[in-house]
Amino acid sequence: MVQGVKISEDGYIINTNPATNEEISRIRTSTQSDIDETIQKANKAQIVWSATPLSQRITLLKKACHVFEQIKSKLSAKITEEMGKPIAEAEDEVKAMINKDAFLDLIEKANKDEKLGSSVVVRDALGVVALISPWNFPAGEIPLLALPALAAGNAVIVKPSEVAPECGAMVVETFASVLPPDTIQLLQGDGTVGSKIVQSNGVHMVAMTGSSATGRKIMENCAPGLKRLVLELGGKDPMVVFADADVDKAAKDAVTFSLFNTGQVCCAVERVYVEHSIQEKFEQKVVEAAKEWVVGDGKNRENKVGPMVSALQRDHVKAQVDDALDHGAKMLYQGSIPDASATTENGDEKGNYYPVTVLSGLKQDMCIQQAETFGPVVAIASFDGSEDEAVHLANDSDYGLAGYVYSTDLDKAGRVARKMRSGQVGINCYSLLEADIACPWVGHKSSGFGYHSGMEGFKQFSVPKSLVFPGN
C-alpha cells in the first residue's frame, strides 16, 4: 500500500488526516466492472472529442481551468486535510491551476499542422490516456498531464493517489463539469486498481508522477502492449554552493527548498555540497534560517512545515537520519514538534510529525546521500571547490531530475550546470519556480521516462503523421 493507506474489508479507502491520524472519509474503490465500463465510455467519448476542432478543445479547457476559482478555498483546505500541506502552500498550488491560458496557447501551437515542403505533418490522438497522479501535489499535478492529453484529442481517466482521493475527485469533477460527457473520468483505488487500468487493452498511454519503483512496475505492465509512457519519477537533487556565491541567498534557498512541502517534493534540495572554505559560515546561516520553520498542523498559518504524509514516511526519514548519525554525521540543528504522546481514539499516534533537521559531515556512501529522503532535512556535505569534484558529486546518484548551482561567476556556474546529468538545473534559483512555461520538465536516469511540459513534452501525448503530396 502506498504510504500505508488501508482499504477496508468491504472495499473502501480509509482516508485519514496526517496531522491527527483521524478518519476523514471512506472512499469506495473501483471494481473491475467499474474499470471496464469507464474505459469503454472513454473510448466512445474520445471519438467525438478528437473530432472537435483543436481551437474549440483549447477554449473549453481554458474555461474549465477558470472554474477552479470557484472552489479554490475548498480545494486548498482539502489538500491540507488529506496530505498535510501547509495551507499557504496549498493555496499556491490551487492558484497555479486557475489561469492556464498561456500554457494552453503553447499546447495548441504544439498540436497544429506543420507544413514541410509539399508535405504536411499532422498529429493524431493516441486514444485513452490513463493518468496516475501523486499525493504530494494531489491537485496541481493533474492539469499538468491532463491538459496536454485532452488538448491532443485524447480522453483521460484519472486515478488519484489513494492518499488524497477527495482532492483528485474534486479536480476531475471540475473538468468534467465543462467538458463533454466521459471525456475525463475518475477511478479510485490503490495500486491493484492502477495495475488493472494500465494493463487494459482499452488504454493507449499512461502518464504518471510518482516513485521510481512504481514507474518500473508501470513500465512492466505496459510492455506487452507497447504503450506510450510519460513517467516523472523520484529525485535526489544536488545543490552546489561555490565560495563566491551569495552565501545569504544560498543558505536561505537551501533551507527553503529542502523544507518546502515538508521536503516531500521530487525536485527538493536533498544534497547540499558547499565549498569547504565557506562551510562554517554557510552552516551557521542555514541553522539560523531553519529555526524559522515551525512544525505543526498545516491548517494553522503560523506553521511552515506540516506533518509527514504518513507514519511510514516519517519513519523512513528518521531511519535515514539515525543511520547518518551512526556513521559519523553531525547534527547541527533539530527543531521541535507537537506533542508526540497524544493519541487518537483508536490509540494511534496523533500526527506524523518529524522535526526540521540540519545535518553536516555527510559522506557519499551514506544512505541519506543515495536514497530519496522526501522529508524536512537539510543535508550538507563539503567539496574542495573544483568544478570537477562538484560535477562528480552532483552526478553520483541514480537520479537526475533537478540540480542547483550557486556562484556569482555565471560562466563557471553554466559550465557545471551543463555537465550535471539532470533534466533542469537552477543557477542561483529554484528551477521549479523560475523556469519559463515553455521549458520541458525532464527526468534523466531513474528520474523519468519521457517528459512533459514544453513543446517537446506536449507532443508526447499525440503521434505525428506525415501527409505526403507529390512535389512540383
Side-chain angles (χ1 to χ4, degrees), residues 58-59 61-63 65-66 96-108 147 437:
I58 294 295
T59 297
L61 291 171
K62 287 180 178 179
K63 179 181 177 182
C65 290
H66 283 283
M97 299 166 62
I98 293 171
N99 185 346
K100 305 297 285 188
D101 288 7
F103 188 74
L104 281 159
D105 287 342
L106 286 173
I107 295 175
E108 181 175 20
L147 290 175
I437 61 169

Side-chain angles (χ1 to χ4, degrees), residues 1-5 21 264 308-319 352 373-374:
M1 295 303 303
V2 171
Q3 296 301 336
V5 173
N21 281 322
Q264 300 167 135
M308 304 298 300
V309 72
S310 68
L312 192 70
Q313 185 64 28
R314 178 202 60 204
D315 292 346
H316 164 76
V317 175
K318 183 179 185 301
N352 307 319
T373 302
F374 236 57

Side-chain angles (χ1 to χ4, degrees), residues 360-422:
S360 181
L362 300 174
K363 306 300 181 185
Q364 280 299 102
D365 59 356
M366 291 179 178
C367 178
I368 200 167
Q369 292 294 84
Q370 295 297 326
E372 195 169 24
T373 302
F374 236 57
V377 179
V378 186
I380 304 172
S382 64
F383 75 107
D384 65 10
S386 69
E387 294 179 33
D388 287 345
E389 187 175 36
V391 171
H392 168 73
L393 291 170
N395 289 339
D396 185 20
S397 171
D398 291 335
Y399 297 99
L401 186 59
Y404 310 94
V405 183
Y406 281 68
S407 171
T408 53
D409 183 341
L410 297 185
D411 290 336
K412 176 172 67 177
R415 289 192 300 269
V416 172
R418 285 178 178 272
K419 293 177 182 178
M420 290 172 69
R421 296 190 63 197
S422 301

Side-chain angles (χ1 to χ4, degrees), residues 116-131:
L116 300 173
S118 61
S119 302
V120 180
V121 178
V122 299
R123 306 201 68 84
D124 287 347
L126 294 165
V128 174
V129 176
L131 197 164

Side-chain angles (χ1 to χ4, degrees), residues 5 38 81 102 154 156 181 265 281 329 341 380 411 441 472:
V5 173
T38 298
E81 183 182 30
N154 303 292
V156 167
V265 183
K281 178 182 179 182
S341 65
I380 304 172
D411 290 336
W441 189 256
N472 295 328

Side-chain angles (χ1 to χ4, degrees), residues 70-332:
Q70 301 171 17
I71 64 164
K72 62 182 181 182
S73 296
K74 183 179 179 181
L75 181 54
S76 299
K78 185 59 65 176
I79 292 171
T80 297
E81 183 182 30
E82 284 197 312
M83 60 76 58
K85 182 172 296 187
I87 186 63
E89 293 181 7
E91 289 169 346
D92 287 343
E93 180 176 341
V94 176
K95 181 180 178 181
M97 299 166 62
I98 293 171
N99 185 346
K100 305 297 285 188
D101 288 7
F103 188 74
L104 281 159
D105 287 342
L106 286 173
I107 295 175
E108 181 175 20
K109 183 178 178 181
N111 283 280
K112 285 185 174 180
D113 295 353
E114 183 181 7
K115 186 169 175 53
L116 300 173
S118 61
S119 302
V120 180
V121 178
V122 299
R123 306 201 68 84
D124 287 347
L126 294 165
V128 174
V129 176
L131 197 164
I132 313 296
S133 63
W135 54 260
N136 59 335
F137 289 87
E141 277 287 323
I142 295 176
L144 290 179
L145 299 174
L147 290 175
L150 290 163
N154 303 292
V156 167
I157 296 171
V158 177
K159 192 207 81 71
S161 169
E162 56 268 46
V163 175
E166 290 189 45
C167 288
M170 290 174 70
V171 174
V172 173
E173 289 164 4
T174 301
F175 277 118
S177 70
V178 175
L179 302 180
D182 303 326
T183 302
I184 185 168
Q185 298 177 82
L186 176 75
L187 290 169
Q188 295 276 22
D190 59 6
T192 302
V193 172
S195 180
K196 291 175 181 178
I197 296 169
V198 302
Q199 290 184 71
S200 170
N201 290 332
V203 169
H204 309 97
M205 178 181 179
V206 178
M208 187 276 277
T209 301
S211 72
S212 298
T214 301
R216 290 186 181 96
K217 291 178 182 178
I218 288 176
M219 290 187 77
E220 291 175 5
N221 287 333
C222 290
L226 296 176
K227 293 177 183 175
R228 293 173 184 265
L229 291 166
V230 168
L231 305 174
E232 183 202 324
L233 307 176
K236 191 68 187 172
D237 303 322
M239 176 181 180
V240 174
V241 183
F242 284 100
D244 62 358
D246 179 336
V247 179
D248 288 327
K249 176 173 173 53
K252 182 179 179 181
D253 284 3
V255 172
T256 299
F257 302 118
S258 293
L259 305 183
F260 169 57
N261 199 21
T262 316
Q264 300 167 135
V265 183
C266 54
C267 57
V269 173
E270 292 224 351
R271 296 176 289 146
V272 180
Y273 299 106
V274 58
E275 188 168 337
H276 181 71
S277 63
I278 62 164
Q279 182 177 2
E280 183 177 354
K281 178 182 179 182
F282 177 81
E283 290 178 346
Q284 289 173 349
K285 292 182 178 295
V286 164
V287 170
E288 290 172 7
K291 290 179 179 178
E292 298 178 6
W293 290 71
V294 179
V295 177
D297 193 329
K299 70 182 182 182
N300 299 324
R301 291 189 180 273
E302 65 268 22
N303 296 328
K304 296 179 71 175
V305 178
M308 304 298 300
V309 72
S310 68
L312 192 70
Q313 185 64 28
R314 178 202 60 204
D315 292 346
H316 164 76
V317 175
K318 183 179 185 301
Q320 279 200 357
V321 171
D322 289 348
D323 177 77
L325 294 172
D326 288 344
H327 288 86
K330 181 180 179 181
M331 178 85 74
L332 296 182

